[in-house]
């Protein structure tokens, strides 16, 4: 797997009032703006469009199986090749951004989606100018930085509207090699945004270690195959058997309910999940799980990761 991480910095031109978690607004606006930018056929849906195999919007927002990925034929919900990383304060009731203030978020791109960074920058710049939230508070995209492992580089200067060559994508091997656990028998996870993991169709709470590992195995496998053309070398059966022996200690998780408005379904939807710190312990060495945890910090876990849910960090 190969990834790119980009920090977008916007400057508010108006006062902007948003919900406490802005991931849904950003994701919805991003999709709307990108489709307006790249769609020249102006069809209502992507299915059957003569350009669907080469369309930037379809690749990012309407991921579908192709003749190159036949094993996923018949699966309706395939993981999209991007993840939003949104600053989030669970105690906040609103997000207020004053005129002239800067606010940032990160976007993780996976595999082929990295080549579409210029399209994404233009679409998010247009979204900012159109306005965010119910009051349509306007902003300008000030800059975009590629954020690597201990380094960053400017890839877009919004004041001069100039793009710069981005650095090479970051390989999963580099991410994994920079990761380690301070205690090989204990790991503490901080669920930063509501994390929604389903088992046999039902949301689980609290999230036990094997729930998290199963979600990461699923996401890493599908993202690698669909968007990077790679099949990861993972011992699925062995890892799951080992994960089921890991104990959860402490009760730091809590359920946080969020709501969002779905334009497609024209209704309010509830998208709660688990947040907070949880420690897991095992008599066995947990180092075999390091590759999954390292990548999971980048790609999130569970459902609705494209709007920023499922973000977690390993406390080190």
């Amino acid at each position: 797997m190969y990834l790119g991480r980009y920090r977008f910095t916007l400057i508010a031109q108006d006062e902007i009032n948003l919900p406490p978690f802005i991931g849904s607004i950003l994701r919805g606006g991003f999709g709307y703006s990108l489709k307006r930018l790249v769609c020249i056929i102006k069809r209502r849906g992507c299915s059957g469009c003569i350009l669907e195999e080469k369309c930037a919007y379809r690749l990012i927002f309407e991921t579908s199986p192709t003749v190159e990925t036949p094993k996923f034929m018949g699966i309706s919900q395939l993981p999209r090749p991007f993840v939003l990383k949104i600053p989030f304060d669970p105690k906040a009731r609103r997000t207020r951004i004053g005129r002239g203030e800067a606010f940032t978020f990160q976007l993780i791109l996976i595999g082929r989606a990295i080549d579409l960074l210029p399209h994404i920058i233009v679409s998010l710049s247009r979204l900012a100018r159109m306005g965010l939230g119910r009051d349509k508070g306007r902003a300008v995209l000030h800059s975009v930085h590629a954020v690597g492992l201990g380094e960053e580089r400017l890839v877009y200067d919004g004041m001069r509207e100039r793009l710069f060559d981005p650095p090479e994508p970051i390989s999963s091997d580099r991410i994994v090699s920079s990761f380690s656990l301070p205690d090989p028998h204990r790991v503490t996870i901080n669920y930063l945004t509501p994390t929604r993991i389903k088992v046999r169709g039902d949301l689980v709470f609290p999230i036990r270690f094997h729930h998290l590992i199963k979600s990461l195995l699923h996401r890493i496998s599908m993202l690698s195959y669909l968007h990077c053309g790679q099949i990861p070398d993972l011992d699925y059966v062995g890892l799951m058997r080992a994960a089921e022996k890991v104990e959860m200690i402490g009760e730091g998780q809590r359920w946080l309910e969020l709501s969002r408005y779905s334009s497609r379904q024209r209704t309010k939807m509830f998208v709660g999940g688990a947040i907070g710190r949880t420690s897991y312990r095992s008599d066995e060495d947990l180092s075999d799980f390091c590759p999954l945890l390292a990548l999971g910090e980048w790609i999130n876990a569970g459902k609705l990761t494209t709007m920023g849910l499922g973000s977690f960090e390993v406390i080190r």
Side-chain angles (χ1 to χ4, degrees):
M1 183 185 290
Y2 50 101
L3 309 95
R5 178 169 58 185
Y6 308 95
R7 184 179 69 248
F8 287 70
T9 300
L10 292 83
I11 306 293
Q13 292 184 305
D14 304 317
E15 181 176 295
I16 303 175
N17 292 288
L18 299 168
F21 186 73
I22 66 174
S24 175
I25 287 176
L26 279 178
R27 183 205 183 277
F30 172 30
Y32 174 79
S33 181
L34 181 63
K35 190 167 187 178
R36 287 189 64 184
L37 174 68
V38 303
C39 182
I40 60 175
I41 303 297
K42 307 303 180 186
R43 293 170 56 99
R44 184 175 180 85
C46 296
S47 180
C49 176
I50 60 173
L51 300 178
E52 63 178 331
E53 294 299 326
K54 302 295 183 181
C55 177
Y57 175 82
R58 181 180 179 274
L59 171 65
I60 294 176
F61 278 94
E62 300 287 346
T63 300
S64 302
T66 67
V67 293
E68 298 175 352
T69 57
K71 65 185 294 185
F72 296 119
M73 291 294 182
I75 300 178
S76 59
Q77 290 296 321
L78 296 175
R80 279 43 172 170
F82 75 95
V83 173
L84 280 171
K85 295 285 190 179
I86 309 293
F88 177 54
D89 179 0
K91 298 179 181 179
R93 294 190 174 184
R94 299 289 297 174
T95 299
R96 179 189 174 278
I97 304 165
R99 184 176 181 181
E101 289 185 9
F103 61 103
T104 66
F105 62 89
Q106 290 189 352
L107 181 69
I108 309 294
L109 296 178
I110 300 156
R112 293 178 296 160
I114 296 171
D115 294 334
L116 300 175
L117 179 62
H119 297 73
I120 292 168
I121 289 174
V122 172
S123 64
L124 287 171
S125 177
R126 290 185 175 184
L127 171 63
R129 292 199 299 268
M130 286 189 293
L132 300 169
R134 289 184 177 180
D135 299 332
K136 295 298 180 184
R138 296 168 302 154
V140 293
L141 179 57
H142 178 270
S143 60
V144 180
H145 288 80
V147 182
L149 298 172
E151 58 186 7
E152 61 180 59
R153 182 192 300 181
L154 180 69
V155 295
Y156 176 68
D157 182 344
M159 300 301 97
R160 293 187 290 169
E161 295 189 330
R162 183 178 176 186
L163 281 167
F164 301 93
D165 291 335
E168 290 296 314
I170 303 169
S171 70
S172 56
D173 289 341
R174 286 187 60 201
I175 294 171
V176 171
S177 66
S178 67
F179 182 96
S180 63
L181 294 175
D183 183 344
H185 298 284
R186 178 180 176 132
V187 58
T188 298
I189 305 290
N190 187 16
Y191 295 99
L192 299 169
T193 60
T195 301
R196 298 167 58 85
I197 294 177
K198 287 188 175 183
V199 175
R200 291 186 288 274
D202 295 323
L203 289 168
V204 297
F205 181 81
I207 298 173
R208 301 189 180 278
F209 193 69
H210 64 90
H211 296 147
L212 176 62
I213 293 304
K214 185 175 182 179
S215 173
L216 293 176
L217 281 168
H218 178 76
R219 277 185 58 73
I220 291 169
S221 299
M222 296 189 78
L223 287 169
S224 296
Y225 187 60
L226 282 169
H227 300 293
C228 303
Q230 301 171 349
I231 300 176
D233 183 17
L234 295 168
D235 179 9
Y236 299 90
V237 175
L239 287 168
M240 281 306 303
R241 285 177 178 170
E244 289 171 355
K245 298 177 182 178
V246 178
E247 300 176 309
M248 184 175 70
I249 54 178
E251 298 182 358
Q253 289 183 47
R254 66 183 179 93
W255 186 269
L256 180 66
E257 197 66 78
L258 296 178
S259 64
R260 70 181 182 96
Y261 182 78
S262 172
S263 298
R264 285 188 176 184
Q265 301 185 37
R266 297 183 179 180
T267 186
K268 179 185 286 189
M269 303 182 69
F270 293 96
V271 289
I275 65 167
R277 290 192 180 194
T278 300
S279 293
Y280 304 99
R281 188 190 67 82
S282 175
D283 293 333
E284 304 295 327
D285 193 330
L286 296 174
S287 298
D288 286 345
F289 298 106
C290 283
L292 302 180
L293 297 173
L295 292 174
E297 287 188 314
W298 286 61
I299 65 170
N300 294 14
K303 302 294 184 180
L304 303 179
T305 56
T306 56
M307 66 175 63
L309 298 189
S311 181
F312 71 87
E313 63 178 352
V314 179
I315 304 301
R316 297 191 284 280

